Amino acid sequence: MVDLLLEADNAASAVHCNIEDPFRLKYHITPAVGLLNDPNGFIEHEGIYHLFYQWNPFECAHGSKFWAHCISDDLVNWRLLPTAMAPDQDYDKNGCYSGSAFVENKKLMLFYTGNVKNKDGTRLSTQCIAEANSLNDKFKKRGPVIDNPPAGYTAHFRDPKIWHDNGVWFCVIGAQTIDKKGQILLYRATNINDWELIGPLAGSGLNELGDFGYMWECPDFFELDNNYILICSPQGIEIEGDKYHNKYQSGYFIGSYNLQNHEFKHNEFAELDRGFEFYAPQTTIDSKGRRLMSAWMGIPEEDDQPTLVYNWLHALTLVRELKIKNGRLYQYPVEELKQLRKNKLSYQDILVSNSQSFAQIHAPCCEIEIELNDIRGSCGVHFNAYDHYHIGLTFNPNNSKLSLDRNSTPNQSGVRSCALLSKQSLKLHMFLDKSSIEIFVNDGEEVFTSRVFPLSETRNISIYSHGSCTITKFDKYDLS
Ligand code: FRU
């Protein structure tokens, strides 16, 4: 019998990192080969962070998914361990789909969806458990513990996120009703093998929400700063003004949760990221009490990227810490990232006026903090490379909109915008890697995450104003 786990490990280790590859990221989790999608099983266990991801080791396409396994003691330097799970059982033969991790009797355990697609087009989705052996790397599958979706739901039933509260296990699962409405189902168990459906926690047409998509994937539910947050990735939502421009969305509902009757009263859906590539986020709480989030820097069905030539696709975002401020989620790059900083370059109090540009810096991998004040007229940041690659970030103080425009890049297009709370000032905290950019705006109020594919090593980054503004802070660090 073919040992799929071994074949996956061999595929990854056979790759000699191609030095000609201009897009291979330097400080993000990327697959050595094949396609990566959702982060899975994010957890801190015995002082070590574990982060798994959905992986197809054999081609740059979606297919029968494996779980790749990375560990870190600082959320920044990740080490790839042997592949954790392969689709090698009858109940998961077409994919060990997304899920989460938990600890039972000190053992690291995985809770995931076994995906089966039969030749006649029918689908089976079961929620399955696997346990780590003493080495924490190879996982022993125990099989399904939730067999079928409940009556009234289709087989689009996946991505269990589990937690433990007061002696009871709970999990949320992404689901679809037979009349094609996306929902999140809540289950409970007093022992990990016997699950009971409580009911839908939220969904399209529920809790005073109108029509909101035909499928909700990758749920996550947790308490943060006395609020409850439901994160999910709904599919089938129409564009509305500046919102929902990506093919599929990821965002959150914030509200109150009644622990007795399990009622979740929530506000409107808010997108977690305003960039072009962001999907399927997953969080965990660490031993420092931080709510940490990782996400896929990609979107389902958008796989036509220049890294295909180098036989790999997609990456995970940097790990972010979540906090609540004034009723909304704020996101911060984790503190630990500061250890990557080298060669600080700093400027202060520079007036930029009349379309003049300031700062030409050359760095493919860097972190930049910019603060602009006394903004009169639109201003922003241009990123250029010598291969006609150009993206622009523009802030318009009249409507307080910030836009990321990649219409002038050779292989990408589109604009993503959102309104900010402040009109007079702008703070940008940007992380640039070889083929990605993550821009934290106004201390985590919004984030723009995107893949970018400039060919040349040298990037010029300039700040401009079509009126005037003062650069009160400009700090740049090379990251290595
Ligand atoms: C989200 C998703 C999940 C599923 C996984 C399969 O990107 O579609 O719902 O479990 O990817 O790889």
Side-chain angles (χ1 to χ4, degrees):
M1 201 181 128
V2 190
D3 184 341
L4 284 175
L5 278 177
L6 193 68
E7 291 205 352
D9 289 342
N10 289 343
S13 58
V15 182
H16 301 291
C17 252
N18 189 340
I19 47 164
E20 302 288 314
D21 180 348
F23 307 128
R24 183 156 285 278
L25 295 153
K26 293 287 187 206
Y27 58 94
H28 286 80
I29 292 179
T30 42
V33 64
L35 176 147
L36 164 156
N37 56 303
D38 316 353
N40 293 157
F42 193 13
I43 195 167
E44 182 188 350
H45 176 49
E46 296 177 346
I48 295 177
Y49 293 101
H50 295 253
L51 185 50
F52 302 77
Y53 58 81
Q54 287 284 285
W55 183 39
N56 183 353
F58 306 128
E59 51 174 347
C60 288
H62 291 272
S64 295
K65 296 290 168 59
F66 291 59
W67 276 44
H69 186 185
C70 303
I71 55 167
S72 170
D73 51 20
D74 58 12
L75 298 164
V76 177
N77 297 291
W78 293 95
R79 185 157 72 86
L80 184 69
L81 290 187
T83 309
M85 292 196 287
D88 53 10
Q89 302 296 315
D90 288 347
Y91 53 82
D92 63 15
K93 67 184 164 89
N94 300 109
C96 298
Y97 272 13
S98 285
S100 46
F102 62 101
V103 175
E104 196 197 30
N105 302 328
K106 299 198 175 161
K107 227 179 220 186
L108 181 60
M109 314 276 290
L110 307 178
F111 196 19
Y112 70 102
T113 300
N115 179 50
V116 173
K117 278 181 191 161
N118 293 319
K119 288 214 173 78
D120 61 3
T122 53
R123 228 177 214 273
L124 288 177
S125 302
T126 54
Q127 316 309 322
C128 311
I129 282 182
E131 63 179 61
N133 74 6
S134 53
L135 290 174
N136 262 0
D137 54 11
K138 294 266 183 280
F139 286 78
K140 198 167 94 202
K141 291 182 183 166
R142 286 197 195 162
V145 292
I146 301 178
D147 266 337
N148 288 305
Y153 291 84
T154 73
H156 287 282
F157 176 56
R158 54 180 173 262
D159 314 332
K161 176 76 199 295
I162 185 170
W163 71 98
H164 197 239
D165 188 25
N166 259 323
V168 184
W169 292 102
F170 290 91
C171 78
V172 276
I173 302 180
Q176 179 184 61
T177 62
I178 47 177
D179 56 349
K180 303 278 185 294
K181 290 190 186 326
Q183 284 193 358
I184 301 303
L185 295 178
L186 177 66
Y187 282 76
R188 101 180 116 208
T190 38
N191 97 53
I192 204 71
N193 300 310
D194 296 315
W195 290 88
E196 169 200 7
L197 174 67
I198 297 175
L201 182 71
S204 177
L206 297 176
N207 309 348
E208 294 171 28
L209 183 71
D211 270 352
F212 211 70
Y214 56 80
M215 172 65 195
W216 287 19
E217 298 188 311
C218 300
D220 199 341
F221 189 57
F222 52 88
E223 189 184 356
L224 183 62
D225 304 333
N226 300 318
N227 293 268
Y228 275 84
I229 307 287
L230 174 68
I231 286 181
C232 59
S233 297
Q235 301 191 319
I237 296 176
E238 302 289 320
I239 292 178
E240 209 186 294
D242 289 331
K243 298 196 285 192
Y244 318 142
H245 281 252
N246 290 342
K247 173 144 195 167
Y248 299 118
Q249 275 57 52
S250 287
Y252 68 97
F253 296 97
I254 184 166
S256 61
Y257 174 57
N258 182 325
L259 287 157
Q260 266 69 50
N261 64 12
H262 304 289
E263 225 177 62
F264 178 48
K265 290 207 173 111
H266 58 74
N267 294 349
E268 271 181 32
F269 181 79
E271 282 175 277
L272 270 165
D273 197 281
R274 303 300 184 153
F276 292 87
E277 278 90 18
F278 181 92
Y279 196 72
Q282 187 177 86
T283 76
T284 190
I285 187 159
D286 78 348
S287 54
K288 297 187 175 120
R290 297 181 294 180
R291 179 59 62 174
L292 303 172
M293 183 176 82
S294 167
W296 173 24
M297 268 205 283
I299 299 276
E301 296 160 46
E302 291 188 356
D303 302 320
D304 185 14
Q305 293 186 351
T307 63
L308 281 173
V309 181
Y310 303 100
N311 209 17
W312 64 280
L313 259 183
H314 305 309
L316 297 185
T317 63
L318 295 173
V319 176
R320 305 173 184 178
E321 182 180 354
L322 303 182
K323 289 187 184 162
I324 292 188
K325 236 164 81 182
N326 305 325
R328 54 198 280 176
L329 266 187
Y330 277 68
Q331 303 173 51
Y332 306 86
V334 286
E335 271 256 311
E336 287 89 333
L337 282 162
K338 289 188 179 149
Q339 65 184 273
L340 296 178
R341 290 175 170 181
K342 278 218 177 107
N343 309 331
K344 182 173 179 186
L345 174 77
S346 196
Y347 301 98
Q348 285 113 30
D349 299 326
I350 293 170
L351 181 71
V352 185
S353 61
N354 298 330
S355 304
Q356 160 204 27
S357 280
F358 159 78
Q360 303 277 312
I361 63 162
H362 309 282
C365 296
C366 64
E367 176 184 349
I368 307 175
E369 290 182 286
I370 298 173
E371 290 183 21
L372 304 178
N373 278 288
D374 304 322
I375 297 173
R376 294 192 182 88
S378 64
C379 61
V381 183
H382 287 304
F383 306 85
N384 293 295
Y386 294 133
D387 49 334
H388 308 295
Y389 161 92
H390 172 94
I391 55 173
L393 189 66
T394 306
F395 180 63
N396 179 346
N398 297 327
N399 55 12
S400 72
K401 254 190 207 180
L402 184 66
S403 306
L404 181 66
D405 183 334
R406 61 181 190 188
N407 277 326
S408 314
T409 59
N411 39 31
Q412 295 174 311
S413 61
V415 182
R416 296 289 181 271
S417 302
C418 72
L420 302 177
L421 297 174
S422 160
K423 285 184 196 285
Q424 279 85 35
S425 60
L426 179 68
K427 273 190 185 180
L428 302 171
H429 188 176
M430 310 191 283
F431 289 83
L432 280 74
D433 201 338
K434 298 276 267 193
S435 58
S436 71
I437 180 164
E438 283 150 289
I439 308 168
F440 294 80
V441 183
N442 291 347
D443 293 318
E445 177 190 319
E446 301 287 356
V447 190
F448 286 70
T449 299
S450 290
R451 295 299 301 284
V452 293
F453 300 101
L455 274 168
S456 78
E457 270 284 306
T458 310
R459 323 276 160 87
N460 287 340
I461 294 163
S462 54
I463 300 173
Y464 70 94
S465 165
H466 291 304
S468 65
C469 70
T470 308
I471 304 170
T472 43
K473 174 176 179 177
F474 181 98
D475 287 347
K476 179 219 141 197
Y477 306 87
D478 293 329
L479 298 182
S480 59

